């Protein structure tokens, strides 16, 4: 899971990260670094984690922490994102990498926990958050990045085009692929991406693939 998400970060996020809007952010925004009076936030602490970077990292980090506490992480992410966007207006291109930034933060967290556990095996604090993060990673990969990005854009008021012209798609397929490789479904599927045992169609739905590709090269093989 971690290797997959970090490979996606390297391929799709790292090349454009320098071009995204930058700001001073709190790179460890979580409930332990937040001061409350009653139900109101009155301050933050841990200024050693204040850095200058792509500003979308701030909301990605906040979502990564909060989504471990809920059953539906994408729904929670959109609630947090909507509140953040009201104060700091995000650009569409920032939302296009948010799914993978959240996953990257989760991957970094469990990697740190695993490493430090080998250094201090008796320190329970190091691994206290690892279990819910692993569970969230397993939920997150089931969410299509296409679906998540569309949800993020809609939350922030950007227009999303979801309709696919499958008639043109089928006609285009028959130009290049033999009809002996038949289409198995009455309503054709147009796959847009895959990850481990999951496939995501162009509309953002997730499918479990247990037949063809796994025994050969798997999904997202770096040389394929």
């Amino acid at each position: 899971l971690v290797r997959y998400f970090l490979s996606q970060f390297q391929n799709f996020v790292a090349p454009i990260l320098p071009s995204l809007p930058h700001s001073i952010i709190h790179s460890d925004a979580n409930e332990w670094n937040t001061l409350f009076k009653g139900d109101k936030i009155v301050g933050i602490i841990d200024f050693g984690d204040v850095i200058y970077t792509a500003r979308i990292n701030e909301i990605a980090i906040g979502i990564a922490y909060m989504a471990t506490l809920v059953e539906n992480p994408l729904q929670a992410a959109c609630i947090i994102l909507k509140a953040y966007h009201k104060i700091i207006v995000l650009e569409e291109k920032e939302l296009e990498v948010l799914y993978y930034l959240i996953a990257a933060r989760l991957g970094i967290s469990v990697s740190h926990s695993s490493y430090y556990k080998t250094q201090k095996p008796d320190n329970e604090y190091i691994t206290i958050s690892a279990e819910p993060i692993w569970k969230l990673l397993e939920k997150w990969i089931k969410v299509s990045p296409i679906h998540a990005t569309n949800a993020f854009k809609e939350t922030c008021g950007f227009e999303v085009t979801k309709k696919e012209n499958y008639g043109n798609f089928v006609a285009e397929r028959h130009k290049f692929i033999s009809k002996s490789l038949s289409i198995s479904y009455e309503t054709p599927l147009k796959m847009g991406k895959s990850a481990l045992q999951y496939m995501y169609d162009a509309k953002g739905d997730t499918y479990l693939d247990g037949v063809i590709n796994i025994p050969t090269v798997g999904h997202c093989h770096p040389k394929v």
Side-chain angles (χ1 to χ4, degrees), residues 112-130:
H112 279 177
S113 295
S114 296
Y115 171 73
Y116 287 118
K117 184 67 174 176
T118 66
Q119 306 300 302
K120 299 178 180 179
D122 298 326
N123 189 335
E124 292 183 6
Y125 176 77
I126 291 171
T127 56
I128 195 169
S129 62

Side-chain angles (χ1 to χ4, degrees), residues 170 173-174 176-185 212:
V170 172
R173 172 192 169 97
H174 287 324
F176 302 102
I177 298 177
S178 168
K179 290 183 179 180
S180 64
L181 295 172
S182 61
I183 296 173
S184 303
Y185 305 100
I212 300 300

Side-chain angles (χ1 to χ4, degrees), residues 1 47 49 56 75 95 103 128-129 136 138 147:
L1 275 170
F47 290 98
D49 286 314
I56 193 64
Q75 184 182 56
L95 302 175
I128 195 169
S129 62
L136 178 54
E138 290 171 359
H147 174 60

Side-chain angles (χ1 to χ4, degrees), residues 22-35:
H22 277 51
S23 178
I24 294 171
I25 73 161
H26 195 299
S27 68
D28 202 24
N30 63 63
E31 66 275 25
W32 295 102
N33 288 334
T34 311
L35 303 178

Side-chain angles (χ1 to χ4, degrees), residues 27-31 60-69 105-106 109:
S27 68
D28 202 24
N30 63 63
E31 66 275 25
I61 292 163
I63 289 171
Y65 275 114
M66 297 309 296
T68 60
L69 308 175
R105 175 66 177 204
L106 297 171
S109 294

Side-chain angles (χ1 to χ4, degrees), residues 77-216:
C78 289
I79 291 169
I80 299 165
L81 180 63
K82 186 175 182 178
Y84 190 88
H85 184 66
K86 279 184 179 179
I87 300 168
I88 299 176
V89 178
L90 298 166
E91 295 180 12
E92 190 171 8
K93 62 182 179 180
E94 295 176 276
L95 302 175
E96 290 172 353
V97 296
L98 181 55
Y99 171 88
Y100 288 120
L101 284 171
I102 294 167
R105 175 66 177 204
L106 297 171
I108 290 167
S109 294
V110 290
S111 296
H112 279 177
S113 295
S114 296
Y115 171 73
Y116 287 118
K117 184 67 174 176
T118 66
Q119 306 300 302
K120 299 178 180 179
D122 298 326
N123 189 335
E124 292 183 6
Y125 176 77
I126 291 171
T127 56
I128 195 169
S129 62
E131 186 176 347
I133 291 175
W134 281 120
K135 288 180 180 177
L136 178 54
L137 278 168
E138 290 171 359
K139 288 181 182 178
W140 201 241
I141 201 167
K142 293 178 185 178
V143 177
S144 161
I146 300 164
H147 174 60
T149 301
N150 286 342
F152 295 152
K153 289 181 178 181
E154 287 179 338
T155 296
C156 295
F158 293 101
E159 189 175 345
V160 174
T161 303
K162 292 182 178 178
K163 291 183 179 179
E164 285 287 331
N165 189 332
Y166 285 104
N168 290 346
F169 165 61
V170 172
E172 193 73 8
R173 172 192 169 97
H174 287 324
K175 282 184 186 178
F176 302 102
I177 298 177
S178 168
K179 290 183 179 180
S180 64
L181 295 172
S182 61
I183 296 173
S184 303
Y185 305 100
E186 205 170 286
T187 302
L189 297 174
K190 183 179 180 182
M191 291 302 173
K193 196 171 174 62
S194 55
L196 305 184
Q197 69 267 41
Y198 299 105
M199 296 189 75
Y200 315 117
D201 73 9
K203 294 184 293 184
D205 293 327
T206 300
Y207 297 82
L208 181 63
D209 181 10
V211 188
I212 300 300
N213 295 293
I214 299 300
T216 52

